[in-house]
Amino acid sequence: MAVIGSIRRRSGLLIIIIGLAMLAFIMGDIFGSGGGGFLSQDPVTAGEIDGEPVSLQDLEKRTAYWSTLYGTYYRNPISQEQARQIAWDDIQYDRVLKEQFNEVGLALPLEEYDDIRFGEGVLDEFKTSQNFKGEDGNFDPSLVRATYENLMNSNVEVWNSEKYRLTRKQMTNKYNELISKAIIANSLEAENSYMDKNSAVDIQYVLKRYSAIPDSTVSVSDSDIRAYFSEHKDEARYQQTAGRDMELVSFLVEPSEEDIADIEQDVQQYIQEFKDAPNDSVFTVVNSDTKRYTAIAYTRAELDSTTAEMIFSAEKGDVVGPVEDGDVIKLIKILGDEAKEEATVRHILIKSDPSNDEEMKNRADSILRAIKRGADFEDMVTEFSDDPGSVNNGGKYEWFPRGQMVKEFEDFSFDESVGSLGVVKTSFGYHIIEVLDRRSEPQKEVAEFIKNIRPSSDTFDQVYEDASAFALDVKDVDSFRSLAQERGYEVKTAAGIRPSARSVS
């Protein structure tokens, strides 16, 4: 058992599927079709692209590359199926599109490569990314340039993969644009298209459903059924896909205390570098597992007491942490002090549209005059307000921050003095608003460096050994079930598993 465990332990599987049904399924597939599986000496073909076979070895090699790249370098693990799809698209690109690019003379010179990243022709993926927005909230091409320069100096593998990815994307876009420019319609096609879209006929028909015929009036014999089966059994609509029902147990891989301690120790090595970083955005995009930069403002109430004390006692430029927060460990850099403005108001909404706008404005003004003369505001809410979200609360919206409401509503709530009462027009209609209270709560604006808490390879190996030991103790279905119960594992059922399935629900 120790030898087998040693052979298997490095595979890194998350879940071990155990069950005799699966064993029979796999062994039947390997040995039952002749010339396949382990007995075949011929290269295994994964499929065809442009009439040429794709070897499974090549596909799996590329799959492993992309899986490692995303998991190790991008720190954004993807499933094996996702990596395999990227690898397949990769081969398609090499075999089909590249040849087409060469035939039509398409190329991507260095000047254009720079242009799509930080020039006038920058791609939308950079322009819209939060990672590359400056302090004014607008796209800052210098952040893109700095990020790629940092990658070139510190992580050539990712830099090369990014260059390949962007080159492939831009070349494909250019080729598709050429194709679209070449697709035209002549006058006859245009006429036919117009007629197809604008011609119509009226028809009348009668229908009698099979369900309207009583079953008792139809007699079907066994010979009728056999004859129908024999006549139609080879039709595609009746073909069935082989499947199996399986019983399984799963072994959950969770980070150990040692794993968490190791990650914390790794994070501590970044503290001084984060503190001294001249550009927080570039630093977090390159080094943080989230691969994005966002300035966040926290009040004390939004943090646990320990973290709040650390953050609010720190000065601008300090780095706080490591802090464990759910399934991540953070370093928090203090960017500055802010104040969070909040307001409490109550309102009555009178909905309006262009057909009745004047009438609704007069109604809102009448309600405002009635309230100023002493009418009860809450009674008027119940009788007139068209806002179902606040009717049951007397029309109140309590302690909302700036940026949450539509501009006109927000401006009145925060710019008018407490106790003010007035009518405001928004896209929803007319609001009779009364400002009840306002407050300003201190905030700390911070940038966060994040590392995900993940199981180590040693933890994976230990869980795999536990699963292997369980598998070796299973002799048949009954022992599988009894051992699972004895050792506290939940037996689950996966129904209808197809031969091509990549996962088990």
Side-chain angles (χ1 to χ4, degrees):
M1 185 177 85
V3 174
I4 296 175
S6 177
I7 292 172
R8 295 178 176 175
R9 66 181 299 174
R10 304 309 303 176
S11 67
L13 292 177
L14 261 171
I15 300 175
I16 312 306
I17 306 301
I18 304 169
L20 295 179
M22 184 53 146
L23 180 61
F25 191 110
I26 295 173
M27 298 307 289
D29 186 52
I30 293 173
F31 297 111
S33 56
F38 299 131
L39 301 182
S40 174
Q41 299 301 314
D42 298 326
V44 180
T45 300
E48 287 186 3
I49 293 178
D50 198 24
E52 295 295 325
V54 177
S55 74
L56 183 61
Q57 183 180 10
D58 184 22
L59 179 63
E60 291 305 308
K61 182 179 179 181
R62 293 181 187 238
T63 299
Y65 168 79
W66 287 107
S67 180
T68 301
L69 189 71
Y70 273 84
T72 304
Y73 296 106
Y74 289 151
R75 297 186 180 95
N76 181 28
I78 58 176
S79 69
Q80 192 74 355
E81 192 61 28
Q82 288 173 313
R84 187 174 287 110
Q85 183 61 56
I86 294 173
W88 183 265
D89 293 342
D90 217 10
I91 300 172
Q92 276 189 315
Y93 176 77
D94 286 343
R95 292 194 182 184
V96 180
L97 285 177
K98 271 190 174 181
E99 291 185 8
Q100 296 296 314
F101 298 159
N102 293 333
E103 285 186 19
V104 298
L106 280 181
L108 186 72
L110 177 60
E111 294 80 2
E112 185 179 354
Y113 179 57
D114 289 343
D115 188 55
I116 64 174
R117 291 180 296 158
F118 38 74
E120 293 183 0
V122 63
L123 296 175
D124 285 342
E125 68 175 80
F126 295 110
K127 290 172 67 175
T128 59
S129 173
Q130 293 296 323
N131 300 329
F132 305 120
K133 292 189 184 299
E135 294 182 358
D136 59 357
N138 296 320
F139 171 68
D140 185 351
S142 67
L143 295 179
V144 183
R145 186 189 295 271
T147 297
Y148 277 88
E149 286 178 353
N150 190 301
L151 282 176
M152 186 167 59
N153 295 325
S154 63
N155 202 326
V156 177
E157 184 75 22
V158 176
W159 188 88
N160 285 331
S161 71
E162 276 293 283
K163 185 175 182 181
Y164 170 79
R165 180 184 71 83
L166 291 172
T167 300
R168 170 176 150 178
K169 180 176 184 177
Q170 182 67 0
M171 292 284 283
T172 303
N173 288 343
K174 290 165 69 173
Y175 184 75
N176 289 340
E177 183 70 14
L178 279 176
I179 296 297
S180 66
K181 297 295 185 185
I183 299 175
I184 60 173
N186 58 40
S187 58
L188 181 60
E189 290 172 323
E191 181 181 351
N192 289 337
S193 176
Y194 176 83
M195 295 301 296
D196 288 341
K197 293 177 180 178
N198 294 279
S199 298
V201 295
D202 295 330
I203 64 171
Q204 292 181 323
Y205 64 95
V206 294
L207 169 71
K208 184 172 184 179
R209 301 185 182 278
Y210 285 115
S211 58
I213 304 173
D215 291 346
S216 59
T217 64
V218 180
S219 176
V220 180
S221 66
D222 290 344
S223 60
D224 292 332
I225 296 174
R226 283 193 294 270
Y228 186 89
F229 173 78
S230 299
E231 185 178 349
H232 298 279
K233 64 182 180 181
D234 295 326
E235 293 180 12
R237 58 176 172 164
Y238 295 120
Q239 296 303 307
Q240 301 294 309
T241 303
R244 295 289 186 273
D245 294 344
M246 301 189 306
E247 289 185 354
L248 59 96
V249 296
S250 58
F251 292 78
L252 185 63
V253 186
E254 295 183 310
S256 66
E257 292 297 326
E258 292 79 8
D259 295 339
I260 296 173
D262 289 343
I263 296 170
E264 285 186 349
Q265 185 175 356
D266 178 52
V267 168
Q268 286 176 346
Q269 299 175 14
Y270 289 92
I271 292 177
Q272 192 62 43
E273 189 178 350
F274 192 17
K275 185 174 183 178
D276 297 338
N279 190 306
D280 298 325
S281 176
V282 172
F283 178 84
T284 53
V285 169
V286 172
N287 297 293
S288 178
D289 282 354
T290 59
K291 296 301 174 190
R292 65 177 181 268
Y293 170 80
T294 306
I296 306 169
Y298 287 119
T299 63
R300 282 184 175 272
E302 293 169 328
L303 301 165
D304 64 80
S305 58
T306 303
T307 305
E309 184 60 32
M310 293 168 63
I311 290 177
F312 278 85
S313 61
E315 301 294 333
K316 182 177 180 179
D318 289 347
V319 173
V320 172
V323 174
E324 186 175 340
D325 183 9
D327 58 357
V328 302
I329 292 177
K330 300 178 178 179
L331 292 179
I332 302 170
K333 185 173 183 177
I334 310 301
L335 302 180
D337 295 292
E338 288 190 349
K340 182 180 182 180
E341 291 184 271
E342 296 178 316
T344 294
V345 305
R346 58 182 177 179
H347 83 131
I348 301 166
L349 171 62
I350 307 300
K351 286 186 176 180
S352 67
D353 57 55
S355 66
N356 64 4
D357 188 77
E358 187 64 29
E359 178 187 351
M360 294 301 103
K361 182 181 185 306
N362 291 335
R363 178 179 297 180
D365 290 338
S366 297
I367 294 172
L368 176 63
R369 287 194 295 270
I371 293 172
K372 286 183 174 180
R373 289 197 299 266
D376 186 83
F377 197 104
E378 292 192 8
D379 289 343
M380 304 298 273
V381 168
T382 303
E383 184 173 356
F384 295 107
S385 184
D386 294 322
D387 178 16
S390 66
V391 167
N392 294 331
N393 192 33
K396 283 185 182 180
Y397 281 105
E398 299 182 289
W399 301 127
F400 59 89
R402 279 190 182 272
Q404 183 171 307
M405 301 297 188
V406 292
K407 185 179 186 307
E408 300 85 354
F409 192 103
E410 180 180 285
D411 288 346
F412 190 93
S413 301
F414 286 96
D415 296 342
E416 300 295 328
S417 60
V418 174
S420 296
L421 190 65
V423 174
V424 173
K425 172 70 183 299
T426 73
S427 56
F428 295 99
Y430 290 92
H431 305 256
I432 300 95
I433 304 176
E434 181 180 9
V435 182
L436 298 178
D437 202 357
R438 268 201 304 273
R439 67 186 181 189
S440 180
E441 191 171 358
Q443 286 182 308
K444 286 284 188 179
E445 186 180 21
V446 304
E448 295 182 337
F449 166 87
I450 292 175
K451 289 291 184 182
N452 295 321
I453 298 176
R454 296 196 185 101
S456 66
S457 58
D458 288 341
T459 300
F460 272 94
D461 291 343
Q462 182 57 56
V463 175
Y464 192 91
E465 285 188 0
D466 293 342
S468 296
F470 178 85
L472 291 170
D473 289 339
V474 170
K475 307 303 179 187
D476 51 30
V477 173
D478 290 336
S479 66
F480 169 78
R481 293 169 179 167
S482 61
L483 279 172
Q485 183 176 10
E486 178 185 318
R487 299 180 187 181
Y489 301 136
E490 180 185 1
V491 177
K492 302 175 183 178
T493 300
I497 302 301
R498 304 303 188 192
S500 60
R502 301 293 185 182
S503 61
V504 177
S505 61

